[in-house]
Amino acid sequence: MTSNERILSPFTLPNGVELKNRLLMAPMTTCTGYFDGTVTSELVEYYRARSGAIGTIIVECCFVDDLGLAFPGAIGIDSDEKIAGLAKIAAAIKEKGSKAILQIYHGGRMVEPKLIGGHTPIAPSAIAAPREGAATPVAMSAAEVENMIAKFGEAVRRAIHAGFDGVEIHGANTYLIQQFFSPNSNQRDDEWGGSRENRARFPLAVLDIAHKMARQYADDAFIIGYRFSPEELEVPGIRFDDTMFLLEKLAARGLDYLHFSVGAALRSSINDTTDPTPLIEKYCALRSETLAQIPVMGVGGIVNAADAEEGLDHGYDLMAVGRACIAYPDWASRIANGETLELFMDSTQREALNIPEPLWRFSLVEAMIRDMSMGAAKFKPGVFAETVQDDSTTLVFNVSLETDCIADITLAEGPLDDVEFTSSFEEIRSRIIDANSPHVDAISGATSQSEAVKKAVSKAMVKSSKARIAEEGGDISAPKNYDVVVIGSGGAGLAAAIQAHDEGASVLIVEKMPTIGGNTIKASAGMNAAETRFQRVKGIQDSKALFYAETLKGGGEKNDPALLRRFVEHAPEAIEWLARRGIMLNDITTTGGMSIDRTHRPRDGSAVGGYLISGLLRNVTKRNIDVMLDTSVEEILFDAGEVRGVRLLTEEQETLSVDAKSVIVATGGFSANSAMVVKYRPDLDGFVTTNHKGATGSGISLLERLGAATVDMGEIQIHPTVEQNTSYLISESIRGGGAILVNQQGNRFFNEMSTRDKVSAAIIALPEHYAYIVFDEHVRAKNKAADEYIARGFVTSASSPRELADKLGMDYHAFLATLERYNGFVEKQHDDDFGRTTALRAPINEGPFHAIQIAPGVHHTMGGVTINTDTQVLNSEQQVIPGAFAAGEVVGGLHGGNRIGGNAVADIIVFGSLAGHQAALRAKR
Ligand code: ADP
C-alpha cells in the first residue's frame, strides 16, 4: 500500500464508526469567539472551508464553565444558549462529509483572573502555576469537584444536542483535568488527591460522565476521545509511567481514541533527554492488550503525506494536522492529489483562506506569513553573547544569527533552573524567532524579562550588521540613507511608517525609549469616528457634521477648523485603514462630550492602546521596517532650505547621522515634562501625570530650532479619573458604561459625562479634592478595563451599597439616597440634578458594587507645533518647512482647549497615515 492509500483509507473506531480516512484537523484555538464565548459566523465559515476531504475535524476547545476559559476569544459550551452557535459549526463540517468532534475543557489554575471578571481561578489545590504572574487559585471543595464533573457531563450533553459526532476530553496542556492528575498541582489529601490512584479519579470521573451522557442522549456512534500531555517538566510532575498508568485505566473504561499532545509527533522524552526514542514507540512497547485496542492519534509538524506516513510507521493509527490545515483549507485534497506543500501563506490571502482575523494574529500563524517575506541578508553569521538587565538580575544571552535570520537565543547566564523564568523565556524566544524580529509583544506577566531578551537580540543584530558592513569593506560611520525617518514609535509614528513603506519609501523609525508604543500604548477608551461601517452595522445613526460640532464645542471653539475638518472627514477611512491591516475596532462606546456612540474599540471591549500598538507593530515587523530603540533624535538636519536627515544619539552614546528626504516628527506631548507643564501652566505644579516617561516634548524643541511655530501651549488637559498611587488612568469607558462619581459625603456632584476639563475642575473644587467612581456588576461585566482595575487592586468591592459605603467611610444614608435618585433618572432617562444626558445606561443595582478613588492628573497637551492639513510643519509665517512633517500629540490646534476622549487615537491614525503618505510622496519626487 502506498503512503497515500494508507493515510487516505477508511479507519474504524472501537465503537464501530468509520472515519473516511486517518486524517484529522487538530483542535487549534482561533480566539474568534464573541466576548461571552458564543460562536461567530467567521468561525463557522473557517470550519466549513476546512471540511470535506479531511476525515474528521476536532473543533477547538470549549470551556465547560464560564470561569474556566484560559484565553481571550475562547468559545464555550457552558450553557444551553451556546448550543445554537455550536450547532452551526457541527452542521457546516458534517454537510461537507467530515466528522465533527468537539474538544471540552476547563482551564483551572491556568485561567487568568482578568478573563473571568477578576475572580480567583479554581484548581485542585491552592498552588499557582509555575509561571510569572500566575494567580494562586482557590482549592476546590469536594462538592465543587463533583459539580465540575457534572459540568463536563452537561457539556457532553450540549455537544450531542449541537449535533457533534463526538467529544474529545481535554486532559492535556496543564488544564484542569491534567491538574488533577499531576502531583505538582494536586496536593489534596482527600479522595481526589494524594496517591496516583486518587489523582486519576477526576479524569476517570469525567470519562464516566461522558459515557453516561452519550448513553442517555446519543447513540453508539457517539465518539469519545481523550487528549493527554505525556510528561511534565515540574518536580514533582507527571512522568511517562504515570501517564501509562492513567491511560490503562481510561482504556479499561472504554474510549474511541487517545490523542498525544506533543509539539512534534515523534518527540522523545522531555524528562529523560538522554533517551532519543520517540514517546510513541515507548508507548507501543509498554501498553497492555486492552490499551492497544484504543487507536492512538499523533499530532505536530505534519505538513505532507510523508510526515503522516512516518507517524503511522512509528505506531500512530491516526494523524492530526494543525498549521497545514490553516494554511491550506483543502489540505487533504491536495495531499490526495499528490501535492507537496510548504508551510507558508501569502500575506494578502487572509480572506481567501477563510482565516478569522484573531487567528491571523496568532504568533504560530504569523510565523507562516512571515516566511514569505524574510528580508535580504543583513548579518554576519555568528553567536553574540549579550549582557542585559531585567528588573532584578543580570542576564547573558547567546544570540545566534544567520545571514538573514535570528537562528537561536539561549540563556547563558541567569536563573537557569527557575522554571517560571525559563518557561516565559521559551515563549518570548519562539515569538522572536518566529517573527524573525525582536519587535514582538512582551509575554504578559513577564514584561521586564521579555524586554531584556528583546534588547539582547537587538544589540546582537546591531553588532552583527556592523560587522557585516565592515567585512564587505563598507564604512560603518558613513551616514545611513532612508527616504523617510520617523521620530517616535507611538501610534502616529507607527502609522506613518507603515503608510510610507506601503507607498514604496524606505523607512527608519527612531525611538528614544527601550520599548515601542509611546504613550499610545496606554490609551484606553477607543477611537472616535462618525459614519463608519461598524456604526452602520450596529444601526448607529451619526454624522460627520455632528462629530465636528461636538468636538468644536468640547474644545471651547478653539480648535483649528481646517485640521478639525480634515480629521472628521478622514476618521472613517482611518478605521478602515486599520481594519485592512488586521486591527479591528468594531465594538463601539461613548466618551464625555459626545452625544452618540462613536468610540471604536476592540470587539472584546479591551483597552484600545495595547491592542493598537500590538497590531501596528505586527505590521511594522511584517514589512521589515527598521527600528532603532534607545536612540534619540538630537537634531533634525537642515541645509539649503530643506530637511536633510537627523542626528541620532544611541544608547552607547554614539552619534550617528542619517540622511533622509523627509522627517516625520511623531514624538508625542510633554505631559511628563513637569518643568515644561508648569512653565505654561503654573497652576498644575505638583500634579501627577498619566503619561509615560518619554512624553517630554522634545519634538517640539527639535522643530522650533527649524523655525516651527507653536500654538495653544497652555492648553493642558487634566484627566479627571486617575488612581493617584499609581498614576493609572481609569478609563472614561467606565463612566461611559454607566458609572457615576460621588464625593466623600456619598453625593453626586457633577455631570459625569461632561468634558474632561469640567469634570476635573469639579473634583478639584471638592474640599477633599478627590472622588469615587462607583459602578455595579452590570458595568463591570461589559467592561474589560474594570477587571484590570480589580486585578491591580484599585477597586473596593462590596456585596451591597451599604457595605460599600461603610468600607469607603461614607454616610450610607446619603449614598443609598444617591443611588436611588440616580436610578430614578436612568428610568426616566433624565438627570434632574446635573443634566447628564448620555450613558444613563442602567440602574446601579446589581451587586457586587465597586468603587475606585480617583483625582485628576496631567493627561494631554493640546498645544504643539503648527501644521497644515497635509501635516507639513509651518513656521511663524505659516510657510512650510520643506521636508518636515508632524503628526499626533506633538501637533497643536486640532483639539483646541480640550481634547475629547477617543479623539487622540483618531488623531494619530488619521494624521499619522497622512504624514506617511506625504513624506513618501516628497521622497519620491
Ligand atoms: P502619539 O500619540 O502622538 O503617537 P506617543 O506618546 O504615543 O505619541 O509616542 C511618541 C513617542 O516618541 C514616544 O515613544 C517617545 O518616547 C518618542 N520620542 C519622543 N521624543 C523623541 C526623540 N527626540 N527621539 C526619539 N523618540 C522620541
Side-chain angles (χ1 to χ4, degrees), residues 160-394:
I160 295 168
H161 287 155
F164 282 91
D165 296 303
V167 288
E168 177 171 297
I169 299 168
H170 197 341
N173 299 13
T174 72
Y175 291 146
L176 186 69
I177 298 180
Q178 182 177 337
Q179 286 161 31
F180 265 95
F181 187 54
S182 166
N184 185 277
S185 39
N186 182 351
Q187 295 182 11
R188 301 173 69 93
D189 52 13
D190 64 359
E191 62 178 310
W192 302 105
S195 64
R196 185 158 81 171
E197 192 88 32
N198 278 358
R199 284 185 276 110
R201 273 183 210 277
F202 186 78
L204 294 173
V206 172
L207 177 60
D208 285 346
I209 200 158
H211 277 305
K212 186 173 153 203
M213 290 295 167
R215 277 196 302 276
Q216 196 171 339
Y217 298 104
D219 54 27
D220 289 341
F222 194 72
I223 300 163
I224 300 178
Y226 188 94
R227 187 173 210 205
F228 64 98
S229 292
E231 294 170 322
E232 287 179 341
L233 270 178
E234 287 83 4
V235 182
I238 297 173
R239 298 294 175 264
F240 198 62
D241 69 309
D242 298 319
T243 293
M244 292 308 293
F245 170 84
L246 175 65
L247 299 183
E248 290 289 355
K249 295 238 167 210
L250 290 164
R253 284 163 144 88
L255 259 182
D256 297 307
Y257 70 85
L258 282 161
H259 185 176
F260 257 75
S261 184
V262 279
L266 300 181
R267 202 193 72 188
S268 55
S269 173
I270 54 170
N271 296 132
D272 179 3
T273 47
T274 58
D275 182 357
T277 320
L279 282 181
I280 178 65
E281 283 184 14
K282 271 189 162 177
Y283 168 86
C284 291
L286 291 171
R287 67 185 167 183
S288 71
E289 272 200 23
T290 314
L291 186 52
Q293 300 305 307
I294 314 293
V296 60
M297 187 192 307
V299 67
I302 312 299
V303 180
N304 283 298
D307 305 322
E309 180 199 8
E310 197 184 7
L312 299 187
D313 287 340
H314 280 80
Y316 289 117
D317 302 291
L318 299 164
M319 295 310 296
V321 183
R323 287 187 297 162
C325 279
I326 299 179
Y328 299 97
D330 54 348
W331 179 81
S333 318
R334 288 170 181 260
I335 292 301
N337 290 335
E339 283 186 43
T340 302
L341 304 171
E342 271 184 77
L343 247 200
F344 64 71
M345 300 185 290
D346 183 327
S347 47
T348 61
Q349 293 296 298
R350 183 183 76 78
E351 282 171 13
L353 294 173
N354 259 300
I355 298 178
E357 190 267 328
L359 175 60
W360 188 252
R361 281 194 267 125
F362 232 72
S363 56
L364 276 179
V365 172
E366 212 151 46
M368 296 194 265
I369 305 165
R370 280 270 324 147
D371 289 345
M372 288 278 294
S373 56
M374 195 70 88
K378 289 192 207 168
F379 308 125
K380 176 177 158 78
V383 179
F384 297 79
E386 298 298 340
T387 306
V388 284
Q389 190 75 31
D390 79 351
D391 268 349
S392 50
T393 342
T394 299

Side-chain angles (χ1 to χ4, degrees), residues 451-565:
E451 295 304 339
V453 183
K454 287 158 65 173
K455 179 133 203 188
V457 175
S458 299
K459 282 171 111 180
M461 287 166 72
V462 170
K463 265 193 209 161
S464 150
S465 61
K466 276 187 188 165
R468 185 178 177 102
I469 295 168
E471 199 177 64
E472 289 169 351
D475 175 6
I476 302 164
S477 57
K480 287 196 178 350
N481 205 315
Y482 288 90
D483 290 330
V484 178
V485 169
V486 177
I487 317 176
S489 70
L494 298 181
I498 292 166
Q499 182 63 36
H501 169 95
D502 290 356
E503 294 188 35
S506 61
V507 181
L508 169 70
I509 302 172
V510 184
E511 168 58 56
K512 69 174 177 180
M513 302 299 284
T515 53
I516 286 180
N519 213 54
T520 304
I521 210 164
K522 294 178 142 206
S524 54
M527 168 163 165
N528 289 342
E531 299 184 28
T532 67
R533 171 161 60 103
F534 300 129
Q535 280 181 316
R536 279 196 294 281
V537 168
K538 289 193 191 296
I540 299 166
Q541 302 268 332
D542 196 2
S543 78
K544 291 175 180 170
L546 188 63
F547 183 23
Y548 181 96
E550 290 182 353
T551 302
L552 193 63
K553 179 163 177 255
E557 317 260 331
K558 280 190 82 172
N559 319 54
D560 178 318
L563 288 182
L564 182 54
R565 192 151 308 285

Side-chain angles (χ1 to χ4, degrees), residues 59 230 287 377 437 496 586 604 613 806 836:
V59 170
R287 67 185 167 183
S437 162
N586 50 359
D604 62 359
I613 291 297
D806 287 347
R836 170 167 172 167

